Amino acid sequence: MIPVSAVIITKNEEKHIARCLRSLVWADEILVVDAESTDQTAEICRDPSAPWAGKIRFLTRPWDGFKNQRTYSMNESKNDWLLVVDADEECSPELASRIQGFFAAGQPPHRAFKVRRIEYFLGKPIQYGIWNPSYQDRFFHRAGVKYVNDIHEYPVFPQPAHDIHEPLLHSPDFSPEKFLDKMNRYTSVEARDRVKGGQRTNVFRMIGAFPAMFLKNYFYYGAYKDGIHGFAISILEGISRAVRHVKIWQYSREKR
């Protein structure tokens, strides 16, 4: 037995969840906390003939933010060692072997780890730009751990985290549509938080936000090495930064 709970939060993830669950059958427990999905997510998870059928525990909890969903799933897990996986991610065989090797030798050498995630855009693995290197706080012993932030949530560890290079694999079908949908939701939360913290913007910052972010990603972080995919990502990141400034302006006017 590998005393690890693989922990997933879901909401309408019927397209990705089977890929995710199939990659986690090596774990002692697969815990899914579902935010009242209206698609086939629950049926796929509960399929009695699926390879994960003997490992999965499926709980339903109304959505009240990333931080709270993560905290609930962490507290409900059977094991103290957790591998936190998003529904649109896959645990690579190399990562599974690395974690199994930790316990074959006794215990992991540290209490918290950042796991490398391979990002994709329209089917291509992205190697450069601000999307890389991408290391996520995903494998840890839960004692003393606390999640913070309502968006871009992350666990705060009592001790420094160490890197694991064997990867999680993000969804290969990540697209401009998904980026823009995520951008709209995230920039709203980020802009409101910044306004609450006293930040303001002006016309010059709104004008400069797009070119500054585009050039930073494309040239400084080397996104040009990913070809046309890197060029497209740089455009999208520039748009995201500009939209955030526009929303800061909008919410600061509302506050007045």
Side-chain angles (χ1 to χ4, degrees), residues 162-203:
H162 296 257
D163 291 345
I164 292 179
H165 305 297
E166 292 79 2
L168 289 166
L169 309 175
H170 209 178
S171 173
D173 65 353
F174 193 68
S175 64
E177 291 84 0
K178 291 185 177 181
F179 180 96
L180 293 170
D181 177 65
K182 190 174 182 180
M183 177 202 75
N184 189 44
R185 291 183 283 114
Y186 281 23
T187 53
S188 293
V189 177
E190 290 170 346
R192 289 190 187 277
D193 286 346
R194 287 170 183 263
V195 170
K196 288 178 183 177
Q199 182 174 332
R200 298 295 183 266
T201 191
N202 55 48
V203 66

Side-chain angles (χ1 to χ4, degrees), residues 188 191-203 205-206 244-256:
S188 293
R192 289 190 187 277
D193 286 346
R194 287 170 183 263
V195 170
K196 288 178 183 177
Q199 182 174 332
R200 298 295 183 266
T201 191
N202 55 48
V203 66
R205 290 177 179 173
M206 285 190 276
R244 189 175 74 188
H245 274 278
V246 171
K247 289 183 178 181
I248 290 172
W249 168 72
Q250 173 193 355
Y251 298 148
S252 61
R253 291 179 75 246
E254 293 175 357
K255 187 174 182 179
R256 289 199 303 270

Side-chain angles (χ1 to χ4, degrees), residues 49-82:
S49 64
W52 54 83
K55 299 290 187 74
I56 197 164
R57 188 156 60 98
F58 187 88
L59 304 177
T60 301
R61 183 178 189 270
W63 180 261
D64 65 347
F66 285 101
K67 178 180 68 175
N68 292 338
Q69 293 293 100
R70 296 288 192 199
T71 300
Y72 178 83
S73 64
M74 178 177 68
N75 293 335
E76 286 294 321
S77 299
K78 169 184 173 183
N79 297 291
D80 288 329
W81 280 100
L82 308 182

Side-chain angles (χ1 to χ4, degrees), residues 74-75 111-112 140-147 155-158:
M74 178 177 68
N75 293 335
R111 302 281 278 186
F140 54 89
H141 192 286
R142 65 182 170 184
V145 175
K146 179 181 179 181
Y147 273 95
V156 176
F157 301 133

